[in-house]
Amino acid sequence: MAGRKRQTATMWQVAERAGVSQATVSLVLNNVGGSRVNDATRERVMNAVVELGYRTNAFAKSLRSGESGMIGFISDEVASSPFAGRLLKGAQLRAWESGNVILSVDTFNDPNLEAAAIDMMLSYRVKGVVYASMYHRAVDVPAELQAIPTVVVNAQDRAGGVPSVFPDEEGGGYAATRHLIDAGHTRIAMINIQPPESDLPAGIGRLAGYRRALAAAGIADDPRLIRSGTGVVEDGFSFTLDLLAEADPPTAIFCGNDRTAWGAYRALESRGMRVGEDCSIVGFDNHDMLAPFLDPGLTTVELPYEQMARQALGILLSDAPDNPPHTSVECSLILRGSVTSAKVRA
């Protein structure tokens, strides 16, 4: 026989159990400041709440107050990505710390699904929306989001009207290249993750950081040491073989992402060379399913997914009228075994 549906306790029942009025229960549960409810009465009310398993009607409360305690999180496919999902994790943790919860939808770049998600979130009276991207790019924020506080994360609002939080790609490229320079390398190649004509901020910034580090160290920028790939393992493999065939091959390679670095590992192995000992490699992303498990472990630059999300939530929940339009977050260098001191060539 099917079990009977459990009856939901009411505020009247809580009041009866605690021996107080429903108004007193409401004052306690809503934590109304300045109310004359003494500590003993408050304790009796809370004990009755626990004993009866009473739950407030969050929807009704949102209708009265105009606030739902929810924050919208709209993304292309962040929640279903194996590593960009840390954006959602950071947002959830920061929201929970402030007494809020995240209402998340992946739209998979479907404009109809995105429009429906925005309409749903507006109907739920979310406090604001985090508009997120799986990879760093310029985005067009939907006009419907102008009605509520919105922050773009891991991307930049093309129009510049919405606060944006994104990784410091150039700083990451500089840190990666500087680390190789500090290890004594002067013939440093770069395999980028996009063609020169691409307008994506990631590859543009990482290449700019590479060049800035060389210039700061007084090392000439040799165009023969730069290759433009698409961020896949196969590019890392073929371009590394190409670079090793140069008359004066590099002793180190900065790869624009960890998948490219994996391809570079495979290329060196195919030539009977050892990563670190014969050629140092640095990646970008700190892909946790890849970078620590290569042999040797890959020194790489970490994309600050959780930090970006936390900063975005901080801006969204801030009462400050003038939030920064652009906030770049540092990309940290993660040291492993793929970089060693440069060997002196005869």
Side-chain angles (χ1 to χ4, degrees), residues 151-206:
V151 180
V152 170
V153 66
N154 201 34
Q156 299 182 47
D157 174 30
R158 199 186 311 274
V162 174
S164 301
V165 181
F166 48 88
D168 181 2
E169 309 281 7
E170 182 173 338
Y174 180 89
T177 310
R178 183 75 244 181
H179 181 61
L180 292 169
I181 292 169
D182 289 344
H185 296 278
T186 56
R187 292 286 292 171
I188 303 171
M190 180 182 180
I191 304 175
N192 208 351
I193 56 174
Q194 61 199 50
E197 64 273 14
S198 173
D199 63 353
L200 291 177
I204 292 173
R206 295 170 197 185

Coordinates of all heavy atoms in Angstrom, one line a residue, residues 151-206:
V151 N 26.4 40.4 -14.1 CA 27.9 40.4 -14.2 C 28.3 39.3 -15.2 O 27.8 38.2 -15.1 CB 28.6 40.1 -12.9 CG1 30.1 40.1 -13.0 CG2 28.2 41.2 -11.9
V152 N 29.2 39.6 -16.1 CA 29.7 38.7 -17.1 C 31.0 38.0 -16.5 O 31.8 38.7 -15.9 CB 30.1 39.3 -18.4 CG1 30.9 38.4 -19.3 CG2 28.8 39.8 -19.1
V153 N 31.1 36.7 -16.6 CA 32.3 36.0 -16.0 C 32.9 35.1 -17.1 O 32.2 34.5 -17.8 CB 31.9 35.3 -14.7 CG1 31.0 34.1 -15.0 CG2 33.2 34.8 -14.0
N154 N 34.3 35.1 -17.1 CA 35.1 34.3 -18.0 C 34.8 34.8 -19.5 O 34.9 34.0 -20.4 CB 34.9 32.8 -17.9 CG 36.0 32.0 -18.5 OD1 37.2 32.4 -18.4 ND2 35.7 30.9 -19.1
A155 N 34.4 36.0 -19.6 CA 34.2 36.7 -20.9 C 34.1 38.2 -20.7 O 34.3 38.6 -19.5 CB 32.8 36.2 -21.4
Q156 N 33.9 38.9 -21.8 CA 33.8 40.4 -21.7 C 32.6 40.8 -22.5 O 32.4 40.4 -23.6 CB 35.1 41.0 -22.2 CG 36.4 40.6 -21.4 CD 37.6 41.3 -21.9 OE1 37.6 42.5 -22.1 NE2 38.7 40.6 -22.1
D157 N 31.9 41.7 -21.8 CA 30.7 42.3 -22.5 C 31.2 43.2 -23.7 O 32.0 44.1 -23.5 CB 29.9 43.2 -21.5 CG 28.8 44.0 -22.2 OD1 28.3 43.5 -23.2 OD2 28.5 45.0 -21.7
R158 N 30.8 42.8 -24.9 CA 31.3 43.5 -26.1 C 31.0 45.0 -26.0 O 31.8 45.9 -26.4 CB 30.7 42.9 -27.3 CG 31.5 43.2 -28.6 CD 30.7 42.7 -29.8 NE 30.4 41.3 -29.7 CZ 31.1 40.3 -30.0 NH1 32.4 40.5 -30.5 NH2 30.7 39.1 -29.9
A159 N 29.8 45.4 -25.5 CA 29.4 46.8 -25.5 C 30.0 47.5 -24.3 O 30.0 48.8 -24.3 CB 27.9 46.8 -25.4
G160 N 30.5 46.8 -23.3 CA 31.2 47.5 -22.2 C 30.3 48.0 -21.2 O 30.7 48.8 -20.3
G161 N 29.0 47.7 -21.2 CA 28.0 48.3 -20.3 C 27.8 47.4 -19.1 O 27.1 47.9 -18.1
V162 N 28.3 46.2 -19.1 CA 28.0 45.3 -17.9 C 29.4 44.9 -17.3 O 30.3 44.6 -18.1 CB 27.3 44.0 -18.4 CG1 27.2 43.0 -17.3 CG2 26.0 44.3 -19.0
P163 N 29.5 44.9 -16.0 CA 30.8 44.5 -15.4 C 31.2 43.1 -15.8 O 30.4 42.2 -15.9 CB 30.5 44.5 -13.9 CG 29.3 45.5 -13.7 CD 28.5 45.3 -15.0
S164 N 32.5 43.0 -16.1 CA 33.0 41.7 -16.6 C 34.2 41.3 -15.8 O 35.1 42.1 -15.5 CB 33.5 41.9 -18.1 OG 32.4 42.3 -18.9
V165 N 34.3 40.0 -15.5 CA 35.4 39.4 -14.7 C 36.0 38.3 -15.6 O 35.3 37.4 -16.0 CB 34.9 38.8 -13.4 CG1 36.1 38.2 -12.6 CG2 34.2 39.9 -12.5
F166 N 37.3 38.4 -15.8 CA 37.9 37.5 -16.8 C 39.4 37.2 -16.4 O 40.0 38.0 -15.6 CB 37.8 38.1 -18.2 CG 38.3 39.5 -18.3 CD1 39.6 39.9 -18.5 CD2 37.4 40.5 -18.1 CE1 40.0 41.2 -18.5 CE2 37.8 41.9 -18.2 CZ 39.1 42.2 -18.4
P167 N 40.0 36.2 -17.0 CA 41.4 35.9 -16.6 C 42.4 36.8 -17.2 O 42.2 37.3 -18.3 CB 41.6 34.4 -17.2 CG 40.6 34.3 -18.3 CD 39.4 35.2 -17.9
D168 N 43.4 37.1 -16.5 CA 44.5 37.9 -17.0 C 45.4 37.1 -17.9 O 46.4 36.5 -17.5 CB 45.3 38.5 -15.8 CG 46.5 39.4 -16.3 OD1 46.6 39.6 -17.5 OD2 47.2 39.9 -15.4
E169 N 45.0 36.9 -19.2 CA 45.7 36.1 -20.1 C 47.1 36.5 -20.4 O 48.0 35.7 -20.4 CB 44.9 36.1 -21.5 CG 43.4 35.7 -21.3 CD 43.2 34.3 -21.2 OE1 44.1 33.5 -21.0 OE2 42.0 33.9 -21.2
E170 N 47.3 37.9 -20.5 CA 48.6 38.4 -20.8 C 49.6 38.1 -19.6 O 50.7 37.7 -19.8 CB 48.6 39.9 -21.1 CG 50.0 40.4 -21.5 CD 50.0 41.9 -22.0 OE1 48.9 42.3 -22.4 OE2 51.0 42.5 -21.9
G171 N 49.0 38.3 -18.4 CA 49.8 38.1 -17.2 C 50.2 36.6 -17.1 O 51.4 36.3 -16.7
G172 N 49.3 35.7 -17.5 CA 49.6 34.3 -17.5 C 50.7 33.9 -18.5 O 51.6 33.2 -18.2
G173 N 50.6 34.5 -19.7 CA 51.6 34.3 -20.7 C 53.0 34.8 -20.3 O 54.0 34.2 -20.6
Y174 N 53.0 35.9 -19.6 CA 54.2 36.5 -19.2 C 54.8 35.6 -18.1 O 56.0 35.3 -18.1 CB 54.0 37.9 -18.6 CG 55.2 38.6 -18.0 CD1 56.0 39.3 -18.8 CD2 55.6 38.4 -16.7 CE1 57.2 39.9 -18.4 CE2 56.7 39.0 -16.2 CZ 57.5 39.8 -17.0 OH 58.7 40.3 -16.5
A175 N 54.0 35.1 -17.1 CA 54.5 34.3 -16.1 C 55.1 33.0 -16.6 O 56.2 32.5 -16.1 CB 53.4 34.0 -15.1
A176 N 54.4 32.4 -17.6 CA 54.9 31.1 -18.2 C 56.3 31.3 -18.8 O 57.2 30.5 -18.6 CB 53.9 30.6 -19.2
T177 N 56.4 32.4 -19.6 CA 57.6 32.6 -20.4 C 58.7 33.1 -19.5 O 59.9 32.7 -19.6 CB 57.4 33.7 -21.5 OG1 56.2 33.3 -22.2 CG2 58.6 33.8 -22.4
R178 N 58.4 33.9 -18.5 CA 59.4 34.4 -17.5 C 60.0 33.2 -16.7 O 61.2 33.2 -16.5 CB 58.7 35.3 -16.5 CG 59.6 36.0 -15.5 CD 60.5 37.0 -16.1 NE 61.9 36.7 -16.1 CZ 62.9 37.5 -16.5 NH1 62.6 38.6 -17.1 NH2 64.1 37.1 -16.4
H179 N 59.2 32.2 -16.4 CA 59.7 31.0 -15.7 C 60.7 30.3 -16.6 O 61.7 29.8 -16.0 CB 58.5 30.1 -15.4 CG 58.9 28.9 -14.6 ND1 59.5 28.9 -13.4 CD2 58.8 27.5 -15.0 CE1 59.7 27.7 -13.0 NE2 59.3 26.8 -13.9
L180 N 60.5 30.2 -17.9 CA 61.4 29.5 -18.7 C 62.7 30.4 -18.9 O 63.8 29.8 -18.9 CB 60.8 29.3 -20.1 CG 59.7 28.3 -20.2 CD1 58.9 28.4 -21.5 CD2 60.2 26.9 -19.9
I181 N 62.6 31.7 -18.9 CA 63.7 32.5 -19.0 C 64.6 32.4 -17.7 O 65.8 32.3 -17.8 CB 63.3 34.0 -19.2 CG1 62.7 34.2 -20.6 CG2 64.5 35.0 -19.0 CD1 62.0 35.5 -20.8
D182 N 63.9 32.4 -16.6 CA 64.6 32.3 -15.3 C 65.3 30.9 -15.2 O 66.3 30.8 -14.4 CB 63.6 32.4 -14.1 CG 63.1 33.8 -14.0 OD1 63.7 34.8 -14.5 OD2 62.1 34.0 -13.3
A183 N 64.9 29.9 -15.9 CA 65.6 28.6 -16.0 C 66.7 28.6 -16.9 O 67.4 27.6 -17.1 CB 64.6 27.5 -16.3
G184 N 67.0 29.8 -17.6 CA 68.2 29.9 -18.4 C 67.9 29.7 -19.9 O 68.8 29.8 -20.7
H185 N 66.7 29.6 -20.3 CA 66.3 29.4 -21.7 C 66.2 30.7 -22.5 O 65.7 31.7 -21.9 CB 65.0 28.7 -21.8 CG 65.0 27.3 -21.3 ND1 65.5 26.2 -22.0 CD2 64.6 26.8 -20.0 CE1 65.4 25.1 -21.2 NE2 64.9 25.5 -20.0
T186 N 66.8 30.7 -23.6 CA 66.8 31.9 -24.5 C 66.1 31.6 -25.8 O 65.7 32.5 -26.5 CB 68.2 32.5 -24.7 OG1 69.0 31.5 -25.3 CG2 68.7 33.0 -23.4
R187 N 66.1 30.3 -26.2 CA 65.4 29.9 -27.5 C 64.1 29.3 -27.0 O 64.0 28.1 -26.8 CB 66.3 28.9 -28.2 CG 67.6 29.4 -28.8 CD 67.3 30.3 -30.1 NE 66.8 29.5 -31.2 CZ 66.3 30.0 -32.3 NH1 66.2 31.4 -32.4 NH2 65.9 29.2 -33.3
I188 N 63.1 30.2 -26.9 CA 61.8 29.8 -26.4 C 60.8 29.9 -27.5 O 60.5 31.0 -28.0 CB 61.4 30.6 -25.2 CG1 62.5 30.5 -24.1 CG2 60.0 30.2 -24.6 CD1 62.3 31.5 -22.9
A189 N 60.1 28.8 -27.8 CA 59.1 28.8 -28.9 C 57.7 29.0 -28.2 O 57.6 28.7 -27.0 CB 59.1 27.5 -29.7
M190 N 56.7 29.4 -29.0 CA 55.3 29.4 -28.5 C 54.5 28.7 -29.6 O 54.5 29.1 -30.8 CB 54.8 30.8 -28.2 CG 53.4 30.7 -27.8 SD 52.6 32.3 -27.4 CE 51.0 31.8 -26.9
I191 N 53.6 27.8 -29.2 CA 52.6 27.3 -30.0 C 51.2 27.8 -29.5 O 50.8 27.4 -28.4 CB 52.5 25.7 -30.0 CG1 53.9 25.2 -30.4 CG2 51.5 25.2 -30.9 CD1 54.0 23.7 -30.3
N192 N 50.6 28.7 -30.2 CA 49.4 29.4 -29.8 C 48.2 28.5 -30.1 O 48.3 27.5 -30.8 CB 49.3 30.8 -30.4 CG 48.5 31.7 -29.6 OD1 47.9 31.4 -28.6 ND2 48.5 33.0 -30.0
I193 N 47.0 28.9 -29.6 CA 45.8 28.1 -29.7 C 44.8 28.7 -30.7 O 43.7 28.1 -30.8 CB 45.1 28.0 -28.3 CG1 44.8 29.4 -27.7 CG2 46.0 27.2 -27.4 CD1 44.0 29.3 -26.4
Q194 N 45.2 29.7 -31.5 CA 44.3 30.2 -32.5 C 45.1 30.9 -33.6 O 46.3 31.3 -33.4 CB 43.4 31.2 -31.8 CG 44.1 32.4 -31.2 CD 43.2 33.1 -30.1 OE1 42.7 32.5 -29.2 NE2 43.1 34.5 -30.3
P195 N 44.5 31.1 -34.7 CA 45.3 31.7 -35.8 C 45.4 33.2 -35.6 O 44.7 33.8 -34.8 CB 44.3 31.5 -37.0 CG 43.0 31.2 -36.5 CD 43.2 30.6 -35.1
P196 N 46.4 33.8 -36.3 CA 46.7 35.2 -36.0 C 45.5 36.2 -36.2 O 45.4 37.2 -35.6 CB 47.8 35.6 -37.0 CG 48.4 34.2 -37.3 CD 47.3 33.2 -37.2
E197 N 44.6 35.8 -37.1 CA 43.5 36.7 -37.4 C 42.3 36.6 -36.4 O 41.4 37.3 -36.4 CB 42.9 36.4 -38.8 CG 42.3 35.1 -39.0 CD 43.4 34.0 -39.4 OE1 44.6 34.3 -39.3 OE2 42.9 32.9 -39.9
S198 N 42.4 35.6 -35.4 CA 41.4 35.4 -34.5 C 41.3 36.6 -33.5 O 42.3 37.1 -33.1 CB 41.6 34.1 -33.7 OG 40.7 34.0 -32.6
D199 N 40.1 36.9 -33.0 CA 39.9 38.0 -32.1 C 39.7 37.5 -30.7 O 39.3 38.3 -29.8 CB 38.8 39.0 -32.5 CG 37.4 38.3 -32.5 OD1 37.4 37.0 -32.3 OD2 36.4 38.9 -32.7
L200 N 39.9 36.2 -30.4 CA 39.6 35.7 -29.1 C 40.7 36.2 -28.1 O 41.9 36.2 -28.4 CB 39.7 34.2 -29.1 CG 38.5 33.5 -29.8 CD1 38.7 32.0 -29.8 CD2 37.2 33.9 -29.1
P201 N 40.3 36.7 -26.9 CA 41.2 37.3 -26.0 C 42.3 36.4 -25.5 O 43.4 36.8 -25.1 CB 40.3 37.8 -24.9 CG 39.0 37.9 -25.4 CD 38.9 36.9 -26.5
A202 N 42.0 35.1 -25.4 CA 42.9 34.1 -24.8 C 44.2 34.0 -25.5 O 45.3 34.3 -25.0 CB 42.2 32.7 -24.7
G203 N 44.2 33.7 -26.8 CA 45.4 33.6 -27.6 C 46.1 34.9 -27.8 O 47.3 35.0 -27.7
I204 N 45.3 36.0 -28.0 CA 45.9 37.3 -28.1 C 46.7 37.7 -26.9 O 47.8 38.1 -26.9 CB 44.8 38.3 -28.4 CG1 44.2 38.1 -29.8 CG2 45.4 39.8 -28.3 CD1 43.0 39.0 -30.1
G205 N 46.1 37.5 -25.7 CA 46.7 37.8 -24.4 C 47.9 37.0 -24.1 O 49.0 37.5 -23.7
R206 N 47.8 35.7 -24.3 CA 48.9 34.8 -24.0 C 50.2 35.0 -24.9 O 51.3 35.0 -24.4 CB 48.5 33.3 -24.1 CG 47.4 33.0 -23.1 CD 46.7 31.6 -23.3 NE 45.5 31.6 -22.6 CZ 44.7 30.5 -22.4 NH1 45.0 29.4 -23.0 NH2 43.6 30.6 -21.7

